[in-house]
Amino acid sequence: VFSSDYVSKDNSGGKVLLQEPLDPSTTYFKGTFELDQDINSLYIFVETKDQEFTPERVLLESWTPVCTDRYFYCAITMVAAVGIFVLLNYKKAAISPCSLQEHQTNGHRSMLALVFVMAVGVFVASIPLLQQGSIIGHDTPFHLARIEGIASGLASGQFPVRVHGETLNGFGYANSLFYPEALLYIPAVLSLLGVSTITCYKFYMVMVNALTILLSYYAFKKLLNSRYIALTLSIVYLLNPYRLICAYYRNAVGEFTALTFLPLLVYGLYAVLVGNQKDWPCLVAGATGLLQSHILTTEWMAFVSALTVLVFIRQIFTKEKRVLSLVYAGVATVCLNLWFIAPMLLMIISIHPVVFTRVQSPIGFAKYDISYLFHTVTLTGMGPHPIGWVALAAVAGYLLYRILVCHAEDKQKQLRFGDVLAVFCLVSAVATTAYFPWEKLTSLPILGKLVDAIQFPYRLLSIVAICSTVLLGYTILLWTKERSKRVLACLTSVGVAVFCICLL
């Protein structure tokens, strides 16, 4: 019995865990060996001289518990039960049909109704995690290894963890230097407490779903000043097709996590450029969340943010001195993330540049087939990537209002931020296809290398997801003046979003 995960003193891999002769007169063999570290591979070799050997059954079992999942599930159930008990017995905590329509009050009824609807939304978004075992997507083994790598790094005394010691057959891999892993410390700590890696992974996915709807609701409420529209947008964004495809088809955990912070980033930009510039910390929180989740998403959103600032360049130099809020946000973001940025930059300038050269290019993955943006079935090996019918309706409704209804100069100034979102949404959707000039962009000297790093054009659907969700809020507010009609539009949007997810 042999494992290749061990590394000997001479830096050679592999260790024999058990070696005993077989008795030809017996029909079975039972042996015992002990592990002093986690392993990912185990090999059984049988050597015979003059006869064939055919194993009928191999049974591998442990004589001590290998995980504490049952205790973890018990703890989660108890915490949930206590939370529900407190909410239901809290003063004036009674759900009524009008609870979500209250704008100015922050009563306990409204809070209870919000918590209940958000919990249902998180449950719907997490249904694929309820099965036994795990969904094996494109990147599942890599991200499971990240959780185990952080856990082993913490156990060996590293903090922050820079090298995953057990990766690559025990030789180690400096994954954390280039792939941010801040939120993954939570499942890694659970792993150190004995929870199985699969359960840690599932808990992390549910946690990200819950964090997404909370941050989205906060950002959208600040942006649109409407409680039930903010709740509608947060559910629609939570159930965005591309977001859940990242979670359950591609298992792109980093990109899936980064999408959590896009609503904060969008509101932070809005606050600094147009709205209440005192909310510039929201821009810091959104940018920090992105940077600590996924580098590629951070690069593209930084580019989009820079273009947005250029559109509003006049406004930031007014007597309100909005440029100062923008500078504060930038300096604070860099300072908060310097512990990650500095080692990454030092490694980049000290390593041979071939390490950072992409073999694939967006040109090879972009196709002359727009239909895949509307289908829910697998058309390519990379899976379905639909925009979603709610997003399409939101963009179409907003554009129709801007073209047919809104002609006043003052209103056009108020909706300039919405216009920017609409342009980014349409351009990003087209950029997922081969009709976009990818070849010309990638041939440019400096910009070409940044553009080439995206690798898969459908990554831009993350921009479509957040921009179309905000446009949905604008569309509902612009087309509906009566509260009853707005509530009907919100319920319809949620219903269509849930139906589209069921098709997937």
Side-chain angles (χ1 to χ4, degrees), residues 181-453:
E181 300 176 331
L183 287 180
L184 283 180
Y185 279 79
I186 297 174
V189 171
L190 291 177
S191 179
L192 289 177
L193 296 176
V195 182
S196 68
T197 307
I198 294 296
T199 301
C200 293
Y201 174 77
K202 289 183 175 182
F203 175 79
Y204 178 80
M205 302 296 277
V206 175
M207 180 192 73
V208 171
N209 283 333
L211 187 62
T212 298
I213 198 169
L214 289 173
L215 295 182
S216 299
Y217 175 77
Y218 174 81
F220 295 145
K221 186 174 182 297
K222 298 277 285 186
L223 183 63
L224 300 172
N225 194 30
S226 174
R227 179 172 299 179
Y228 55 89
I229 291 182
L231 182 60
T232 299
L233 299 188
S234 61
I235 294 176
V236 169
Y237 184 71
L238 179 74
L239 301 180
N240 181 270
Y242 180 69
R243 183 181 170 278
L244 295 187
I245 284 169
C246 285
Y248 303 127
Y249 189 90
R250 294 175 54 219
N251 288 94
V253 172
E255 194 170 354
F256 169 69
T257 306
L259 290 170
T260 301
F261 300 95
L262 290 187
L264 269 183
L265 182 76
V266 170
Y267 172 68
L269 271 177
Y270 174 84
V272 170
L273 300 176
V274 181
N276 183 9
Q277 59 179 323
K278 293 182 180 179
D279 284 340
W280 62 264
C282 290
L283 181 57
V284 177
T288 299
L290 276 180
L291 184 58
Q292 293 299 329
S293 302
H294 197 240
I295 294 296
L296 280 180
T297 306
T298 303
E299 289 180 1
W300 277 96
M301 292 310 300
F303 178 72
V304 169
S305 301
L307 291 180
T308 306
V309 171
L310 288 177
V311 173
F312 292 90
I313 193 69
R314 290 184 178 180
Q315 281 88 330
I316 65 175
F317 290 104
T318 58
K319 61 180 180 179
E320 297 175 337
K321 297 181 179 179
R322 291 182 177 272
V323 66
L324 293 179
S325 299
L326 196 61
V327 172
Y328 294 155
V331 173
T333 301
V334 172
C335 292
L336 279 175
N337 298 279
L338 198 60
W339 64 274
F340 173 79
I341 297 174
M344 180 179 68
L345 293 179
L346 288 173
M347 289 296 293
I348 288 176
I349 63 177
S350 63
I351 293 180
H352 195 280
V354 73
V355 176
F356 302 96
T357 302
R358 285 274 188 187
V359 177
Q360 298 97 340
S361 174
I363 304 172
F365 292 97
K367 301 183 182 301
Y368 289 101
D369 187 4
I370 300 181
S371 64
Y372 84 96
L373 293 174
F374 310 99
H375 282 279
T376 56
V377 296
T378 302
L379 298 181
T380 66
M382 303 309 296
H385 291 96
I387 293 177
W389 296 110
V390 177
L392 287 170
V395 176
Y398 180 81
L399 293 178
L400 284 174
Y401 183 87
R402 294 294 280 116
I403 295 172
L404 301 178
V405 180
C406 183
H407 300 291
E409 184 67 23
D410 56 339
K411 286 189 176 181
Q412 290 191 12
K413 289 182 179 180
Q414 294 176 2
L415 293 177
R416 184 175 297 176
F417 192 78
D419 295 342
V420 172
L421 294 175
V423 170
F424 281 136
C425 189
L426 293 173
V427 172
S428 299
V430 175
T432 61
T433 69
Y435 294 101
F436 192 75
W438 284 110
E439 190 169 357
K440 293 182 179 179
L441 283 178
T442 53
S443 63
L444 297 176
I446 299 176
L447 184 62
K449 184 161 285 189
L450 293 175
V451 171
D452 201 43

Side-chain angles (χ1 to χ4, degrees), residues 62-83:
S62 63
W63 64 86
T64 57
V66 295
C67 65
T68 58
D69 284 11
R70 65 180 67 184
Y71 305 111
F72 175 72
Y73 286 128
C74 287
I76 293 294
T77 303
M78 291 178 63
V79 170
V82 171

